[in-house]
Structures are given as C-alpha cells and as structure tokens.
Amino acid sequence: MHEQYQPREIEAAAQSFWDNQKSFEVSEDLGKETFYCLSMFPYPSGKLHMGHVRNYTIGDVISRYQRMLGKNVLQPMGWDAFGMPAENAAMKNNVAPAKWTYENIAYMKTQLRSLGLAVDWSREITTCKPDYYRWEQWLFTRLFEKGVIYRKNGTVNWDPVDQTVLANEQVIDGRGWRSGAVIEKREIPMYYFKITAYADELLEGLDDMPGWPEQVKTMQRNWIGKSRGMEVQFPYNVDSIGEAGTLKVFTTRPDTLMGATYVAVAAEHPLATLAAQGNPELQAFIAECKGGSVAEADMATQEKKGLPTSLFVEHPLTGEKLPVWVANYVLMHYGDGAVMAVPAHDERDFEFATKYDLPIMPVVRTSAGDETPAPWLAAYNEHGTLINSGEFDGLDFQGAFDAIEAALTAKGLGQSRTQFRLRDWGISRQRYWGCPIPIVHCDTCGDVPVPEDQLPVVLPEDVVPDGAGSPLARMPAFYECSCPKCGAPAKRETDTMDTFVESSWYYARYASPHYEGGLVEKAAADHWLPVDQYIGGIEHAILHLLYARFFHKLMRDEGLVSSNEPFKNLLTQGMVIAETYFRTLDNGGKDFFNPDDVEIERDAKAKIIGATLKTDGLPVEIGGTQKMSKSLNNGVDPQYMIEQYGADTCRLFMMFASPPDASLEWSDSGVEGSHRFLKRVWRLAHTHVGQGLPGALDISTLNDEQKVIRRAIHQAIKQASQDVGLHHKFNTAVAQVMTVMNVLEKAPQTTGQDRALLQEGLETVALVLAPITPHISHELWNQLGHAGAVIDAPWPTLDESALVQDTLQLVIQVNGKLRGHIEMPAGASREDIEAVARINENVLRFTEGLTIRKVIVVPGKLVNIVAS
Ligand code: ANZ
Ligand code: ZN
C-alpha cells in the first residue's frame, strides 16, 4: 500500500477492474429483487457540467447502495441526441449535426466513465440512431392508425425573411433571432398526440404516487388544469348580413353571470372576422394580435388591448344587449376563444373595463360587505353571497351554480362542462435534426403511415443545415417516394418529431436495448419496469415527466408494458450554484467574471464583503450565488476538478455539501476539505495495514474504552443506514463517517484487540463510503485483507448489542449548578442513583451546612439536588 493517497492510480485500477469483470452488466436474475435506478440522460452538448456530475453521482450512490443490499441493480445511460443545439453548432462551424453529436458523445462518455459510475454500458442508447428511433416511428404508425395521433392545423412562428418556422425561444421581442424580421403567426398542418384523452388519468394518477415530491405533483396538476365550469351561450343576430347564432363562452364562475357587462373574443374568433368586414381599423388590430409570439407566457403579461365591434349579443337570462369586443387577452385555443366579461370579479376584465370605461357591476358581496359598484380599486375574485342578481340574490357559489345551470338548461343556452388547460401535444417540427415522421402523403390515399417492413425512415446524416427552412424539404432524394398503398408517386413527410418524444420512452428501451423484434421485449420490460428511482432536475417537473407518464399509458394500451406509471420514486436534485461577479457596462449590460479570476475579501463570519479583479486590482460587483451557467461565467469545469483531485473527491464533496434535493453551493475550500478527509482515511489505513492485519475481534472481552469505540462505529452504521436508506441524506451519512474517523484516529493501538477494533472501524468506513467514493473504498477493502471486491460486499450490519451502554454518565447539579459527574449502570433505579449522588464528595461539599429539600433524578441524564 502506497504511503500517499494517489487517486489517479487508484481510480484507474478500480475502473479497469469493473470493466474487465463487467461488474455492472446485469440480466434478468429471477432470484434477486430488482432495482432500476435511472438518472435523466444527458443532451450531448459538448462536455459535462457540474449539474450532470451531481445528477449522476446521486444516481450512482443510490445504485451502489442498493446493490450492497443484495439487489440486482440496473443503472443504464444514454444520449438524448436529437435537438436544435446540434443544428446551431452545425451552422456556426459548418459541420454536420450528426458528426458534431457523435463526437460530443464520445468525449462525454470518457468524462462520465472517469466519474466511475456503476453503469451498464452495454445498454447504452443513442436516440439519433436508427436502431432507436425506428421503434418510435413504429409506435407512431400504430398510434396514428388508432387515432391517438392525428393531423390538424397548428399555429407556428413564421420568419418571413428566413422563410422558416421558429421555436418560441428563437423569437426575441417578436423578431426572428437570426433575421431580425417581425414574426408572423402561421397556420400549418401538424401532427398531434391526443394527450387530452388521458388528462383525467394523468391527473388522478398523481393521487397515487407517494414516491414523488409534492411540489412536482402540484405543478403537474396545475399544468393539466382541470376546471369545472359552464358553457354559456349568448344569442346574437346580425341584421346587416342576416346571420344569427350564439356566442359560446366557457366560464368557471357562472355564479357571476348577472355581472357580465360585455363579451370579448379572441382575434382569431369567427365573430371577430365577421365584425372586421368593412372595418379597416379592426382589421389592423386583428392583424397586430395575430403577429408576435405564440408563447402563452408572453400573452399573459402583455398589456391588455382591445377594440369594440359594432356587434351585440343578448344576455342569456335577462336579454340585455352586451357589446362584443375583440381583446388580446382572450386566447383562441382555450375554452371557446371567448369570454363573458365580469369586471367586478375578474382581474383581467377589471383592468380592461377600467381602461376602456366599460361598466363594472358587482354581483358577489365582498367580505367587507360592499354592495356598491365604483369606485373599486380591484376585482373581488373570492366566492361569496350573490347580490344584484335578481332571483339568485342570497345564494352561495354552489347554490348559484346549480340555479343558474337550471335556468340556462331550460332555455337551451348552457350546461356544466369540465375543461382542461392541457392541450393536445403538437409534435411536428420543421427542423432537420430530429426523428422523421413516418408518413407518406399520397394524392389519392391521403396520409399513409409507412408500413412496418419499410421502417425506419432514415434521416440522412451528412446534411449541414443553413437556417433557411428544413433541408429535408429541399431534398428530393429524401422525400420522393411511392405510396405504400397504391404505389403511385408520393411525397414523404419532411417534418421531424419534437425531441421530447425520444425522451418519453427511453427508460423502457433500456430494459431490452438491442431487441429487434419490437419496441421492448415484454418479459424484460415487465422485469425491470417501473423505474424504482428516477433522478433529475426540477426543470423537467412538467413537460418531460408528463409526456413520459403519458407514453407509459400509451405503451400499456399497446400491450407493451404492464404497469400504469413509469417512475415509482422521483428525486429532483437541487441546482449547483456559485458566486457571481460582474461589472456594469456603459450600455447597461453586465460583464461577468469567473470566480477564479476574482480576489475576494471576507468578514469575520466569512461573508464576502469585497471583490477585485486579479488582473487589474479594481473592484467588481458581487452578484450573489446563482445557478452555474455559461452566461454568468460562474461555472467550474468538472474535468479540471477530477484531474486535480480525483473523482472520489468530487463525488464526496457533492454528496457532503448538501442533501440531494437542496441547492449545492460550490466552494473550493469544501473540495479541498473533502480531499483532505480522504487523505486522512488513507493515512490511517496505511499505518494500520503496514503493521500487518490483526486477528479476529473478540467482542466478549472488550474493556470499557474499547466498548465506547465500538459503540461509535455501530452508531455510525445505524445512522448512516437510516440517512441513506430512508432519506437519501448522504451528507449526514458522511458526517457519521467523519465522527467515526475522529474516534478511530485517537483509539489506542497497544493490544491485539485494539488493532482488531480498528480493523472493524476501517472496514466500516470503507463500506459506508463505498457508494460515495467507490474507488478508494475498492482499494481499501482489498488492502484490509478481503479477496472479493467491495462492490460485492454487503452494506455493514448493525450489531445492536454494541449500542448498549453498560454504564452511563450522569451530570450532578446542586441547586442547578454543575458540580460533577457520576458513572452508573445503565439499568440503575432512581433510588440507587439518588443514593450514590448524595454521597458524592462534591455534593457533600456544596451542601455542607444546608438541608437537602428535594432530589430530582432524570435517568440517563442528571441529578439535581435542591438544598437550602
Ligand atoms: C367569467 C368569469 C368571472 C371568469 C369571474 C372568471 C372570474 P380557468 O380557471 O383557467 O379554467 N376564460 C375562458 N376562456 C378564455 C380564453 N379563451 N381566454 C382567456 N380567458 C378565458 O379559467 C377560466 C376562466 O378564464 C373563465 O371564467 C373565463 O373568465 C376565462 F369572476 O368567466 B371567467
Ligand atoms: Zn396512394
């Protein structure tokens, strides 16, 4: 054993041992309990960042721990390899996205390997390869035939200069990111997954998922957004053109119907189109609304604007005439694209009515008892007793809901309805680097799914996109084909799928990654699924996790998997954060400096109070800790850390600095501290091993001091088992190991028993650390005399008897003041304790001349003698 801790050698040796032994390749072992541990697979962006390192370390610690419990653990890894960054890089560097992606994968794989992950690399998946996306296309054709996927027009951002569709994030302040052109909305045919058909199941399933964080479930519930309400119809009659009909609106507050003072429709609403005929001002406004971004977040925050039409509708109960407005805050794709506006009780309507001087009519009594309308300062949106509502006055929310529903139903002008916020999932992307949609358009047969024996539709890999439209749409070699049904010349679909599709089912493919007979091999899928532990960032709380849950149900309904949900337990790891430093530029922008280039000054409490740039010595502003990112220039390169200190130090620091779900603040001194600790462990083991391994420990003949040491060892096992097994609190488990190390370093080493006890202590340290710092544990375990590898050793077992304390130390107080200690057998009675305390020499001294009035005994803790 080397005297020095040399992580580079130890880590290389351990890793090649695992590789040679194929230690982490697993198969369906029916004799063992399975554990499927999955970390969200990375996008191959170029190199690992600290967020990856944290994510994969957490997953690895859990995997290795579960293996030590005797389970058959599957931990796979792969690449979420389609997507826009590859196209952007391609345009910048004039290199094909495929080449760029495969090179990144190769490099990032060596990085991941250097972390020493217990990954079954034989199951590696790369989503941009035909052997993967072939099954995505296969599923697509099945779902298309079933009607779960359908085609309809969808709205996209259209860049009129580049002649291309842009993603929401490519539209900046309403303009194309490359061309700077004002973006238009365009309707084009797209494919949709009917996720709304599963809305109820996706919502209700959440009630039965105790292994998911509450916060994530709440986010999903809100996203699905089930609202119970009513559809209300407002009759109209446009004399000028002889058109009559009803305007349908969706409302969650039918109780406020008598307070509706106008109705508003979206710019795309047919009534808006009708009203705009011969009204150039309205036409211009509608065109303006149709421009801009389609992102809903922008719609919610933009200034409310509208124009009146010359149209009126009739109130369904009173017959009163209400004006029809076109308003930018009404969304065409929610509800019915129209609202009944109740300014007194809805914030958006209130803001709009105030701006355009429309009447405000309160119909719900506020908690302050207000019944009079103006001048209100805000809408009152709570439920309450109805006022100003004629026959409905005095009713509460539910009473009004029912009564108004009855009144509307009687007239055929309304009925209750449940509405979801969730919309069908449009998956068509007019991009190159994605999975081709397996459809052929035939003039006679329409949209024909590509037959199974003609799959996959292979994406050509040698294309360099130029940013102007989809390159596939300009490649006859790709799109020219014959109709699978009638054989006539036909055109292949040139859109590709949203990359969220690939990540919606990859976890299932890992069960049988090389299977060629189908998307999954049923037996393998049933063996491994559902995933026992899924780990990833909170940023995926909504879309990815919802789509994956949806896909699981689609696969279930295709008979591919047997479970209802894909991920039993979910751990959302916190962010990796670091200090930021910047200077404000003349144009108001910020110039960020890497923390490495900044000299900092701290106060006595280690709070940063000043910072200067190393190069010029001048002050920089302190921006506080924020998520590590390129734009804030506060990233730390994992590669550098691994080269400098070794993977074990990085892993230990990450696990020790905070629990996995909290944010982790990067600290160079924390990394150094972790490194020093591993050196201490090494040093103690080196000294111990150097003296030859001791004989067996005889626990029946331990002296008191040895018992205390052994208690510390087993206390740590107990605590660490709970921390890791029940709560994933690796940080406190590491703290336990540190406590044991303090004890072991001071333990006497005179007798054989002393040395045998240190052996037990060091073995415990190696085992408890094994999931966290697997390389050093691998080496220590062998050095401590074990022939087998530590990965095959079981998690240490607690010896309860070691925790039993024969004697306990009690504090002695006289009148509440500490006056000494006594040792008592653990099972001593109150009477015995009191008797011994009374004759203690300090007690005698401090009670001299006084009368003992009372003796308070807290067994195991203290004796307080009250004397006066
Ligand atoms: C009248 C009313 C009175 C409303 C009131 C609210 C409060 P959720 O809960 O999200 O489902 N709404 C309906 N369709 C809309 C659309 N296409 N664009 C914008 N807003 C729309 O919201 C339902 C409420 O959102 C509906 O209830 C409607 O306003 C509005 F005191 O109707 B409410
Ligand atoms: Zn045909």
Side-chain angles (χ1 to χ4, degrees):
M1 191 173 177
H2 271 293
E3 191 178 346
Q4 300 297 324
Y5 169 47
Q6 293 175 329
R8 203 183 296 259
E9 273 132 62
I10 294 171
E11 294 183 0
Q15 286 169 17
S16 59
F17 176 86
W18 299 326
D19 286 347
N20 294 337
Q21 303 286 313
K22 301 193 190 319
S23 300
F24 307 118
E25 287 186 21
V26 286
S27 54
E28 290 89 72
D29 179 341
L30 299 177
K32 275 192 189 168
E33 195 181 332
T34 64
F35 192 91
Y36 182 179
C37 185
L38 182 67
S39 293
M40 290 180 184
F41 64 165
Y43 176 77
S45 54
K47 53 183 187 176
L48 289 189
H49 56 66
M50 279 298 173
H52 289 130
V53 175
R54 187 175 194 204
N55 194 165
Y56 302 134
T57 304
I58 294 169
D60 199 47
V61 175
I62 295 174
S63 297
R64 287 173 178 271
Y65 170 73
Q66 292 292 335
R67 179 187 174 116
M68 292 177 86
L69 297 184
K71 294 182 195 166
N72 188 25
V73 178
L74 167 60
Q75 181 176 227
M77 186 58 77
W79 309 95
D80 190 12
F82 275 136
M84 237 161 44
E87 292 191 43
N88 297 339
M91 286 183 258
K92 208 168 136 199
N93 312 320
N94 194 35
V95 45
K99 185 166 184 287
W100 183 84
T101 303
Y102 292 132
E103 281 172 8
N104 288 349
I105 288 174
Y107 180 67
M108 289 172 77
K109 189 170 169 181
T110 60
Q111 288 194 304
L112 282 180
R113 282 179 163 277
S114 72
L115 280 171
L117 305 178
V119 160
D120 180 352
W121 285 104
S122 75
R123 293 175 187 254
E124 182 176 355
I125 278 172
T126 306
T127 60
C128 65
K129 289 193 176 161
D131 64 356
Y132 181 80
Y133 65 67
R134 165 185 182 185
W135 297 109
E136 186 163 306
Q137 294 175 336
W138 173 84
L139 186 63
F140 185 103
T141 57
R142 308 261 305 214
L143 296 173
F144 183 77
E145 270 155 7
K146 240 183 166 180
V148 177
I149 295 176
Y150 63 94
R151 189 175 183 232
K152 73 161 190 197
N153 277 352
T155 318
V156 293
N157 301 307
W158 176 255
D159 183 325
V161 170
D162 271 352
Q163 293 282 302
T164 190
V165 174
L166 298 183
N168 284 343
E169 55 274 21
Q170 293 174 317
V171 181
I172 295 151
D173 296 332
R175 290 172 180 274
W177 67 314
R178 288 170 71 84
S179 67
V182 174
I183 294 308
E184 298 163 7
K185 281 181 202 159
R186 234 194 211 194
E187 299 268 313
I188 57 166
M190 304 217 278
Y191 290 92
Y192 287 84
F193 274 86
K194 218 185 252 174
I195 190 171
T196 52
Y198 287 79
D200 255 320
E201 200 194 338
L202 287 166
L203 186 66
E204 276 158 24
L206 294 169
D207 294 337
D208 209 15
M209 289 162 57
W212 278 42
E214 228 25 79
Q215 181 202 9
V216 173
K217 289 191 276 190
T218 303
M219 285 161 90
Q220 294 217 344
R221 282 189 189 105
N222 292 342
W223 186 259
I224 296 169
K226 184 173 183 173
S227 308
R228 211 175 87 78
M230 211 173 287
E231 85 184 28
V232 182
Q233 296 180 41
F234 292 75
Y236 62 85
N237 199 334
V238 186
D239 293 335
S240 56
I241 49 165
E243 244 206 63
T246 60
L247 173 71
K248 211 194 265 177
V249 307
F250 174 72
T251 175
T252 47
R253 294 294 304 274
D255 59 315
T256 65
L257 181 57
M258 305 305 264
T261 56
Y262 66 99
V263 295
V265 299
E268 299 87 346
H269 195 280
L271 215 52
T273 317
L274 181 69
Q277 287 170 12
N279 183 342
E281 196 194 357
L282 192 52
Q283 283 166 11
F285 178 67
I286 289 173
E288 182 192 327
C289 290
K290 284 183 178 171
S293 155
V294 293
E296 210 174 285
D298 299 341
M299 309 274 293
T301 51
Q302 71 189 354
E303 191 201 335
K304 291 186 182 38
K305 274 192 199 165
L307 267 191
T309 67
S310 52
L311 308 179
F312 288 84
V313 293
E314 274 171 33
H315 191 284
L317 297 183
T318 65
E320 190 193 340
K321 288 219 172 313
L322 303 179
V324 178
W325 283 64
V326 178
N328 67 349
Y329 71 97
V330 184
L331 308 172
M332 189 56 206
H333 299 284
Y334 187 70
D336 297 294
V339 301
M340 64 177 220
V342 186
H345 303 291
D346 179 278
E347 275 122 37
R348 295 157 299 181
D349 300 342
F350 182 84
E351 196 184 321
F352 194 84
T354 311
K355 177 167 176 178
Y356 293 108
D357 215 8
L358 289 157
I360 299 177
M361 170 58 126
V363 289
V364 175
R365 179 176 291 129
T366 71
S367 43
D370 299 345
E371 301 207 6
T372 44
W376 280 25
L377 296 174
Y380 181 75
N381 58 16
E382 310 282 317
H383 288 177
T385 307
L386 259 57
I387 51 172
N388 301 325
S389 295
E391 58 176 301
F392 307 110
D393 278 357
L395 294 174
D396 65 2
F397 175 79
Q398 196 53 53
F401 193 112
D402 296 341
I404 288 178
E405 178 173 20
L408 288 172
T409 317
K411 294 188 161 194
L413 291 176
Q415 67 196 56
S416 64
R417 176 171 117 193
T418 300
Q419 171 79 38
F420 288 92
R421 192 181 164 272
L422 184 70
R423 317 219 196 107
D424 280 344
W425 176 18
I427 55 100
S428 294
R429 297 290 179 274
Q430 298 68 37
R431 315 223 67 86
Y432 158 66
W433 191 234
C435 171
I437 292 177
I439 294 282
V440 168
H441 304 287
C442 168
D443 285 342
T444 359
C445 313
D447 294 353
V448 183
V450 176
E452 195 173 339
D453 59 5
Q454 292 172 31
L455 292 176
V457 176
V458 176
L459 182 74
E461 291 198 346
D462 51 1
V463 177
V464 182
D466 58 9
S470 163
L472 296 179
R474 287 175 280 143
M475 288 176 65
F478 177 79
Y479 64 71
E480 278 177 0
C481 61
S482 52
C483 170
K485 259 194 192 154
C486 70
K491 189 169 182 267
R492 196 180 288 296
E493 173 64 53
T494 57
D495 282 356
T496 55
M497 290 189 223
D498 181 356
T499 58
F500 271 116
V501 180
E502 285 87 64
S503 53
S504 295
W505 63 281
Y506 76 113
Y507 64 88
R509 184 68 184 167
Y510 279 134
S512 49
H514 310 298
Y515 185 56
E516 299 211 345
L519 186 148
V520 289
E521 193 179 19
K522 186 80 189 342
D526 284 347
H527 184 81
W528 294 110
L529 293 171
V531 171
D532 292 282
Q533 182 68 59
Y534 197 32
I535 305 134
I538 186 79
E539 65 274 20
H540 295 298
I542 299 176
L543 293 183
H544 163 59
L545 289 168
L546 191 67
Y547 292 151
R549 292 183 58 217
F550 168 52
F551 252 69
H552 201 76
K553 295 171 198 304
L554 294 178
M555 292 192 284
R556 176 200 61 195
D557 293 349
E558 283 294 313
L560 298 168
V561 298
S562 305
S563 37
N564 288 322
E565 290 287 340
F567 313 122
K568 223 190 278 173
N569 294 291
L570 174 70
L571 194 162
T572 47
Q573 103 252 13
M575 294 184 297
V576 182
I577 57 176
E579 282 293 344
T580 53
Y581 303 97
F582 65 91
R583 282 182 187 153
T584 306
L585 301 170
D586 292 343
N587 66 8
K590 285 176 179 173
D591 189 11
F592 284 93
F593 300 102
N594 194 278
D596 272 351
D597 302 330
V598 174
E599 196 73 58
I600 50 175
E601 191 190 333
R602 295 178 186 269
D603 68 6
K605 287 185 186 132
K607 188 173 173 281
I608 298 177
I609 47 172
T612 52
L613 193 64
K614 284 179 185 165
T615 49
D616 61 14
L618 297 173
V620 293
E621 290 179 66
I622 302 166
T625 52
Q626 296 195 55
K627 181 174 178 170
M628 273 192 185
S629 74
K630 256 191 205 144
S631 59
L632 300 174
N633 196 1
N634 63 342
V636 176
D637 183 7
Q639 200 55 38
Y640 173 77
M641 282 294 147
I642 294 169
E643 276 158 23
Q644 183 94 342
Y645 298 103
D648 280 344
T649 292
C650 287
R651 296 173 58 122
L652 180 63
F653 165 70
M654 293 236 151
M655 294 302 102
F656 180 54
S658 60
D661 52 357
S663 50
L664 179 149
E665 186 175 346
W666 187 265
S667 130
D668 291 336
S669 60
V671 176
E672 278 155 23
S674 295
H675 193 60
R676 272 198 306 276
F677 177 70
L678 292 181
K679 279 187 183 163
R680 268 173 63 196
V681 173
W682 186 267
R683 198 179 312 128
L684 187 63
H686 175 259
T687 316
H688 173 74
V689 169
Q691 289 161 6
L693 295 174
L697 182 70
D698 176 6
I699 49 174
S700 63
T701 61
L702 297 176
N703 64 31
D704 284 351
E705 196 177 10
Q706 288 164 338
K707 281 183 185 164
V708 170
I709 294 168
R710 191 155 190 268
R711 193 183 308 134
I713 295 171
H714 283 267
Q715 191 60 46
I717 295 175
K718 181 179 177 179
Q719 207 48 53
S721 304
Q722 279 173 7
D723 292 345
V724 174
L726 298 179
H727 321 290
H728 295 146
K729 291 235 183 317
F730 313 116
N731 56 329
T732 52
V734 171
Q736 291 297 325
V737 177
M738 293 180 169
T739 309
V740 172
M741 275 299 295
N742 290 338
V743 172
L744 296 179
E745 281 171 334
K746 289 192 208 98
Q749 291 295 299
T750 36
T751 67
Q753 278 285 73
D754 286 338
R755 302 207 54 242
L757 195 55
L758 181 57
Q759 172 82 14
E760 186 183 24
L762 284 168
E763 286 180 354
T764 302
V765 169
L767 290 171
V768 173
L769 284 181
I772 299 168
T773 56
H775 309 90
I776 192 174
S777 289
H778 176 84
E779 180 65 20
L780 291 177
W781 190 246
N782 290 346
Q783 293 291 349
L784 289 168
H786 297 275
V790 74
I791 48 166
D792 297 319
W795 182 255
T797 37
L798 169 64
D799 178 357
E800 289 278 358
S801 75
L803 300 182
V804 176
Q805 302 196 26
D806 298 352
T807 60
L808 293 172
Q809 207 181 41
L810 284 84
V811 166
I812 300 274
Q813 297 174 338
V814 176
N815 290 335
K817 283 211 180 75
L818 175 67
R819 295 301 183 200
H821 294 94
I822 52 169
E823 286 278 331
M824 291 296 294
S829 67
R830 280 169 189 274
E831 293 72 27
D832 290 348
I833 295 172
E834 181 175 336
V836 173
R838 276 175 182 270
I839 55 163
N840 176 277
E841 92 188 75
N842 282 356
V843 172
L844 293 175
R845 182 145 64 95
F846 285 102
T847 54
E848 207 183 307
L850 305 175
T851 315
I852 293 180
R853 306 279 170 197
K854 204 167 155 195
V855 178
I856 302 159
V857 178
V858 184
K861 290 221 164 68
L862 66 79
V863 185
N864 185 15
I865 295 177
V866 184
S868 58

